[in-house]
Amino acid sequence: MSAPTSSAVNLALTNPAGFTEVGYASAGFITWGAALVFFMIPGLGLVYSGLARGKNALTMVTWVIWGFSLAFSDTGGVFIGNLQWAGFTSIGSQPLVVTTWVPAIVFAVYQMQFAAITPAIIFGSAAERFSLVPALIFVFIWATLIYDPIAYWTWSQNGWIRNFSCISDAAANKACLIGGLDFAGGGPVHISSGFAGLAYAIVLGKRKKESDEPHKPHNLNLVILGTSMLWFGWFGFNGGSALASTARAGMAATVTTIAAATAGLSWSFFDYIFTKKFSAIGFCSGAIAGLVGITPAAGFVAPWAAIVIGFVTAIACNLGSRAKHLLGYDDALDAFGLHGIGGFVGNILTGVFAQKWIALLDGTVIPGGAIEGNWIQLAYQLGGSAAIAGYSFVGTLIICYAINFIPGMKLRVDDDHELLGVDVTHMGEVAYDHYDGLDGEVPTKEPIA
């Protein structure tokens, strides 16, 4: 009988000999999955219209130095790992305790892409007004103090969310693995980045406006292309999180695209109630909401449940995105509205619709969700989601205010630089030959720190 599991990092204990797949077929599958997840980073950049890539590279470096070890060490406590694998020391062909199907180095580089894309999501809330150098410092600190612990709570052998029902036993290195279910990152990736984005946006304040005209997307084609790249990459994000080329991986990929399609349509029809128009931007927003919502549930729910999750998540995120106008915060590109709310809703719905037979597609045993009579699963999901949201939000506020106190490291750009555009004033380049407001000429001044 295999032990219960709670995440993408599942224990395939139906293979008692450990990692014996001599052909490394699953290793190739996960390596390809890592490439797909990496492909999502420029996709997100297109959706965000030019998010700086330097922040992602910094996260990858810190992941190698200590991030992976803090998030996935075999011998840590219930809250954080140790430096067992610092610098990828001794990470090679051997498996880790949390995965017996693929070599440790394959798993490490796969998870590196998750660690890279998560901070990038945050800056969707801060678009058009954040300063680049302080943002780099923020990412370095945030990845270490916020992302790594949350990933550990959710996915590691001894993490407290993964062992919600037996935290004291997990602290004694006797994990029961009965706790929160999160297949591919509803908590570590989406809730953490969404609530961090909300905190970052609150600290920065609202964007400056040259007129009373509402902020509108400047390039529909980029949004559609970026969303398509994200959807494509999400097959590796969710399907690859099975960590083996199994029927469960196929099911995870199937429910992923079902949820995205359902959510895209649901968002579009819901918008039609207010606007009497069908919007391509609305469909893209809905599709991303559905992808976010299905992420924690992908390896636990049936295709019919993916339709429900896509619909509910789309409506919740749509309402959440509208709420910013009522509540007065400037979530510029709806990072909180899509990822924070979508991840939270998806985590809760995982506790409702998780089914034993889906997990058994690769031999994993879980207690099931509320529809199978395991109502306590909802408490595990709610408790873990609330803890992640609160920790990320408060921790991000503290980090932001601390960086703002560093001389020369103000998080927000000056007003004149914001109105001219951060691409011009901080990077010295623009995406188009024509530049509004400067008579077609781009200033040649040196980039400003």
Side-chain angles (χ1 to χ4, degrees):
M1 185 69 69
S2 65
T5 185
S6 62
S7 71
V9 189
N10 59 73
L11 299 176
L13 296 182
T14 51
N15 177 13
F19 180 72
T20 58
E21 190 181 337
V22 294
Y24 292 117
S26 291
F29 173 71
I30 301 306
T31 302
W32 171 238
L36 289 178
V37 179
F38 179 82
F39 189 63
M40 294 170 68
I41 297 174
L44 184 69
L46 288 179
V47 173
Y48 285 177
S49 297
L51 189 67
R53 291 290 300 279
K55 296 183 290 297
N56 308 114
L58 178 64
T59 308
M60 292 180 180
V61 172
T62 60
W63 186 249
V64 173
I65 297 173
W66 57 60
F68 177 71
S69 189
L70 292 176
F72 289 104
S73 57
D74 294 334
T75 56
V78 295
F79 292 107
I80 190 65
N82 53 34
L83 298 180
Q84 177 185 12
W85 307 120
F88 277 17
T89 302
S90 300
I91 294 293
S93 62
Q94 83 285 1
L96 303 181
V97 171
V98 294
T99 172
T100 58
W101 284 107
V102 294
I105 188 61
V106 174
F107 177 68
V109 75
Y110 178 66
Q111 283 294 328
M112 178 191 292
Q113 314 315 317
F114 286 63
I117 198 170
T118 302
I121 296 170
I122 297 171
F123 293 96
S125 292
E128 302 180 13
R129 61 202 192 278
F130 70 89
S131 184
L132 294 179
V133 173
L136 291 174
I137 297 174
F138 169 83
V139 168
F140 179 82
I141 299 172
W142 189 90
T144 301
L145 298 184
I146 308 297
Y147 178 81
D148 293 344
I150 291 175
Y152 186 85
W153 301 348
T154 306
W155 287 329
S156 73
Q157 178 78 358
N158 295 325
W160 73 267
I161 291 179
R162 195 179 183 193
N163 294 279
F164 216 136
S165 67
C166 61
I167 296 176
S168 59
D169 290 337
N173 206 28
K174 297 177 181 178
C176 68
L177 306 180
I178 300 177
L181 299 173
D182 191 339
F183 191 73
V189 176
H190 299 297
I191 296 178
S192 70
S193 63
F195 278 83
L198 176 61
Y200 209 106
I202 290 173
V203 173
L204 291 183
K206 294 183 179 181
R207 287 168 288 177
K208 302 295 181 184
K209 300 173 84 173
E210 295 182 277
S211 69
D212 292 330
E213 289 293 318
H215 295 286
K216 295 181 180 180
H218 84 283
N219 193 316
L220 176 62
N221 293 332
L222 285 183
V223 176
I224 294 174
L225 177 59
T227 301
S228 301
M229 292 168 66
L230 285 173
W231 195 329
F232 178 70
W234 230 290
F235 283 98
F237 198 94
N238 286 357
S241 288
L243 297 183
S245 186
T246 63
R248 195 179 183 198
M251 181 62 77
T254 299
V255 299
T256 295
T257 204
I258 290 172
T262 301
L265 291 172
S266 299
W267 187 297
S268 297
F269 280 108
F270 190 71
D271 269 355
Y272 184 82
I273 296 173
F274 303 96
T275 66
K276 304 305 178 186
K277 294 181 176 65
F278 290 105
S279 164
I281 294 289
F283 182 87
C284 290
S285 297
I288 294 173
L291 291 166
V292 170
I294 198 65
T295 292
F300 300 114
V301 302
W304 67 266
I307 297 175
V308 180
I309 291 173
F311 172 78
V312 174
T313 305
I315 302 304
C317 291
N318 188 300
L319 292 173
S321 297
R322 294 172 184 274
K324 65 185 179 182
H325 302 296
L326 297 175
L327 299 178
Y329 61 88
D330 188 4
D331 181 11
L333 304 178
D334 291 327
F336 171 68
L338 294 179
H339 296 272
I341 294 175
F344 204 104
V345 171
N347 259 15
I348 303 305
L349 294 178
T350 301
V352 175
F353 296 113
Q355 291 187 272
K356 299 173 186 177
W357 76 271
I358 298 293
L360 278 172
L361 290 174
D362 70 355
T364 299
V365 175
I366 63 171
I371 63 169
E372 294 187 331
N374 184 35
W375 292 94
I376 191 64
Q377 193 63 52
L378 285 174
Y380 298 154
Q381 300 300 118
L382 180 59
S385 299
I388 291 171
Y391 180 76
S392 181
F393 181 78
V394 174
T396 301
L397 283 178
I398 294 172
I399 294 170
C400 286
Y401 283 121
I403 292 175
N404 257 339
F405 275 112
I406 301 174
M409 290 292 111
K410 189 172 65 171
L411 288 174
R412 181 165 183 152
V413 298
D414 295 335
D415 290 352
D416 56 339
H417 293 170
E418 180 180 345
L419 293 174
L420 282 174
V422 177
D423 286 356
V424 173
T425 59
H426 283 222
M427 299 173 65
E429 56 192 10
V430 295
Y432 311 103
D433 290 335
H434 171 71
Y435 187 77
D436 292 337
L438 292 173
D439 299 324
E441 297 182 3
V442 177
T444 57
K445 66 178 72 173
E446 291 297 318
I448 303 170

